[in-house]
Amino acid sequence: MPITGKTALVLCGGGSRGSLQIGLYRALTELGINIDLIVATSVGAINGAFIAAGASPKELGYLWESVSPHDLYQINRQLLFRPFRAESLLDNRRLGNFLMRHLPVLHFEDLRIPLLIGATHLQTGEPVWFREGELITPLLAAIAMPGLFPPVDIGGRQLIDGGISNNVPLDMALKLGAQTVICMLCICCERIPYPVHGWVNNLIYSFSIAVDRKYRADAHHYQNKARLIVIEPHNGMDVGMLDFSHTGELIELGYRHAMETLTGLGEKNKCDTKQTLSSDPSTSTTQGSG
């Protein structure tokens, strides 16, 4: 059945496994499937910003494959002076500088496709959504994984990774009028055929279970309210959240699974993607709101 109506691309979190989304983007482009809006959290927010700004799949793939951990983060120096009061293990300034250098545009209003990105209010646990103003600060908040990166203060609010409160924001895509939602999961809870050791791995796998369970419940709730096309690229590879050594393989894996799922859906009717997001204040919180 061809894709018709307003189509949203939902981009979730998953750390370095976010490169799977580049394969999805490449497949969408080759198949001529237009995206009318992007709703994103965590690493998906970064991919979403580049896609919404007009970066091509080739450009974005090259950026992923050429980046190194040294380009994105360094150990937080606070750990040397006050190890028990440091905000995080890693400093986010290199990531901010990286985004400043490489993002084609630096404000939501200059994007080609409407973009909504989510963070989490640390004190309340509620999602906080951004759709206007400058891009870099909300992006740093959207990927501020607790413990790894420091919370980001915006408007007096401490914000952390959007995946904590809503890793696969199907609900926001539907609130903004999407009739078709396309998503690729980057955190898939496959059975692990070996024991999990180490506090970091225990934390990561536990977090993966939590966000996956929430997604399953949401998908069941919304399955009759829109056309959900959710791609789960099971790969059998044990790729860490900060392991960028498998980027090329993950891009190809995402592309292959996306093509298998999307081929035959056809090109949807052309439409103007430079449109305004819903003004319903219940659907989002902008930078200036409380």
Side-chain angles (χ1 to χ4, degrees):
M1 180 187 299
I3 294 176
T4 57
K6 190 173 186 178
T7 300
L9 176 62
V10 170
L11 299 174
C12 63
S16 62
R17 287 170 285 188
S19 54
L20 287 163
Q21 297 169 350
I22 312 309
L24 169 60
Y25 178 37
R26 177 180 156 198
L28 290 170
T29 301
E30 291 184 7
L31 294 172
I33 298 174
N34 292 330
I35 297 300
D36 301 308
L37 67 103
I38 299 172
V39 183
T41 60
S42 199
V43 71
I46 293 179
N47 284 333
F50 277 96
I51 294 170
S56 69
K58 184 176 181 179
E59 291 168 335
L60 194 47
Y62 175 79
L63 195 62
W64 265 92
E65 293 194 71
S66 62
V67 74
S68 72
H70 177 78
D71 297 322
L72 302 179
Y73 50 80
Q74 63 182 4
I75 296 296
N76 186 353
R77 293 181 181 178
Q78 290 181 342
L79 292 169
L80 299 175
F81 308 106
R82 48 176 190 172
F84 296 107
R85 293 186 60 82
E87 295 285 355
S88 61
L89 176 64
L90 304 174
D91 191 309
N92 66 4
R93 284 177 290 183
R94 286 187 181 175
L95 176 57
N97 292 334
F98 176 86
L99 294 173
M100 286 285 290
R101 290 195 307 271
H102 294 286
L103 265 176
V105 303
L106 299 178
H107 291 82
F108 282 88
E109 291 78 5
D110 297 323
L111 297 170
R112 298 184 183 183
I113 302 173
L115 171 68
L116 186 73
I117 63 175
T120 301
H121 195 307
L122 182 57
Q123 279 70 43
T124 68
E126 294 297 317
V128 178
W129 299 96
F130 297 91
R131 61 182 183 183
E132 61 184 31
E134 65 99 0
L135 269 168
I136 301 299
T137 307
L139 286 174
L140 292 177
I143 57 88
M145 174 64 71
L148 288 180
F149 290 108
V152 176
D153 186 283
I154 300 179
R157 297 167 295 183
Q158 274 189 303
L159 303 181
I160 58 174
D161 196 306
I164 300 295
S165 56
N166 197 351
N167 192 54
V168 189
L170 304 175
D171 56 335
M172 296 307 296
L174 269 60
K175 283 182 180 180
L176 294 173
Q179 295 163 287
T180 298
V181 177
I182 300 174
C183 176
M184 175 170 283
L185 300 184
C186 298
I187 298 178
C188 300
C189 282
E190 306 173 43
R191 290 180 178 270
I192 304 171
Y194 49 80
V196 178
H197 296 295
W199 70 269
V200 174
N201 286 330
N202 274 290
L203 181 62
I204 290 173
Y205 282 114
S206 298
F207 172 73
S208 299
I209 291 170
V211 299
D212 185 74
R213 292 307 133 210
K214 182 182 185 305
Y215 155 70
R216 302 290 168 189
D218 286 351
H220 178 76
H221 178 74
Y222 293 113
Q223 63 182 347
N224 295 321
K225 300 181 180 181
R227 186 181 186 187
L228 303 183
I229 303 173
V230 182
I231 304 163
E232 298 189 52
H234 299 284
N235 54 57
M237 293 192 299
D238 185 14
V239 180
M241 298 284 278
L242 298 176
D243 180 3
F244 292 90
S245 64
H246 299 281
T247 295
E249 298 168 73
L250 290 173
I251 291 174
E252 289 303 315
L253 181 72
Y255 172 74
R256 185 171 70 250
H257 279 264
M259 289 297 287
E260 290 172 357
T261 302
L262 299 172
T263 297
L265 295 178
E267 183 174 353
K268 66 188 287 284
N269 292 333
K270 300 289 184 181
C271 64
D272 181 10
T273 59
K274 187 68 174 181
Q275 52 188 291
T276 304
L277 293 177
S278 166
S279 59
D280 180 356
S282 68
T283 64
S284 66
T285 304
T286 60
Q287 295 180 44
S289 62

